[in-house]
Amino acid sequence: DIQMTQSPSSLSASVGDRVTITCRASQGIRNYLAWFQQKPGKAPKSLISAASSLQSGVPSKFSGSGSGTDFTLTISSLQPEDFATYYCQQYDNYPLTFGGGTKVEIK
Amino acid sequence: EVQLMESGGGLVQPGGSLRLSCAASGFTFSDHYMDWVRQAPGKGLEWVARTRNKANGHTTEYAASVKDRFTISRDDSKNSLYLQMNSLNTEDTAVYYCVRGSRDSSGYYNFDYWGQGTLVTVSS
């Protein structure tokens, strides 16, 4: 199975900060990497697919990059509604696997 | 508007069975892959199973943790997805999400829309 490792597992940031979350795959996954946002008590929301393609309706403050084994999710200017847990996920091979999540909290 | 509505969750004893359903609307169901993803209380996301679309023969994939116990199926005429869960154990306790799969810019299918989830609790 491909292991997905996110770092950090949590971070504290202020409104307006630029935030970067890293995701590393245990083997190359080309660009088959997605990012999801989950708020407490809610279903996940799809943000990005194919490492860098924004899902419909997702604001451009979110961006993704990377290929192979190393990927990043960047939020350009953190807003109150962005405080949530973020997950990466690979879909190059079965079983589909997720990272452990990064909780973004208010400083 | 894409809508996915899960049902069928509840409390079941270890060793028991449960069948989850997902009613889909707002899109051409037969064109899409469909998945089940679960989340144990306070934990991360775990992919459970996938059924491919009609064009790909409705073939299926499973996580090792549920293979031979769970069966994913779909009825395109009813725009519905199912998950038959047998031999349940306490580790299957989770919120189960119905998730739509769509082709991305690379041509691979992955998750785009999620239902609100249904809670399955396995306990004596």
Side-chain angles (χ1 to χ4, degrees):
Chain A
D1 297 4
I2 297 175
Q3 307 303 316
M4 305 301 293
T5 304
Q6 287 183 234
S7 60
S9 57
S10 65
L11 64 89
S12 295
S14 300
V15 172
D17 283 354
R18 180 183 180 91
V19 168
T20 297
I21 298 168
T22 296
C23 179
R24 176 164 288 175
S26 60
Q27 65 188 69
I29 58 170
R30 296 176 282 183
N31 71 330
Y32 299 120
L33 190 283
W35 290 97
F36 304 93
Q37 175 195 65
Q38 188 178 33
K39 298 180 180 179
K42 300 295 186 183
K45 174 185 176 183
S46 299
L47 296 178
I48 287 172
S49 65
S52 60
S53 297
L54 260 59
Q55 294 280 4
S56 175
V58 174
S60 59
K61 62 181 171 180
F62 292 96
S63 63
S65 65
S67 184
T69 60
D70 294 311
F71 301 86
T72 60
L73 172 70
T74 299
I75 309 171
S76 60
S77 177
L78 204 63
Q79 297 302 305
E81 63 270 19
D82 302 327
F83 291 94
T85 299
Y86 293 84
Y87 294 92
C88 65
Q89 177 243 339
Q90 67 81 20
Y91 53 103
D92 189 35
N93 280 311
Y94 293 101
L96 310 180
T97 48
F98 290 88
T102 296
K103 188 174 184 179
V104 177
E105 299 176 301
I106 301 173
K107 182 182 286 184
Chain B
E1 178 191 7
V2 172
Q3 291 195 339
L4 300 167
M5 184 70 69
E6 303 94 338
S7 61
L11 175 64
V12 60
Q13 291 189 336
S17 299
L18 209 57
R19 189 195 196 205
L20 305 183
S21 300
C22 171
S25 61
F27 64 99
T28 304
F29 185 74
S30 61
D31 285 348
H32 290 265
Y33 288 22
M34 295 298 298
D35 294 76
W36 290 99
V37 174
R38 69 183 180 183
Q39 187 170 37
K43 303 297 184 182
L45 300 168
E46 180 188 17
W47 171 76
V48 173
R50 162 168 286 180
T51 173
R52 294 182 178 85
N53 57 11
K54 181 180 179 180
N56 286 283
H58 293 162
T59 52
T60 58
E61 304 284 348
Y62 293 93
S65 59
V66 306
K67 192 173 174 60
D68 298 327
R69 298 189 300 124
F70 290 11
T71 301
I72 189 172
S73 62
R74 61 193 294 163
D75 186 338
D76 288 353
S77 69
K78 295 182 178 179
N79 292 339
S80 294
L81 176 72
Y82 306 101
L83 185 68
Q84 177 65 43
M85 305 185 293
N86 298 331
S87 302
L88 285 161
N89 58 60
T90 56
E91 295 178 346
D92 297 316
T93 294
V95 173
Y96 285 73
Y97 294 103
C98 168
V99 191
R100 190 181 85 165
S102 293
R103 194 191 293 267
D104 70 10
S105 58
S106 298
Y108 270 37
Y109 283 84
N110 203 48
F111 314 139
D112 60 357
Y113 284 92
W114 298 63
Q116 287 305 299
T118 187
L119 176 62
V120 172
T121 302
V122 184
S123 175
S124 55

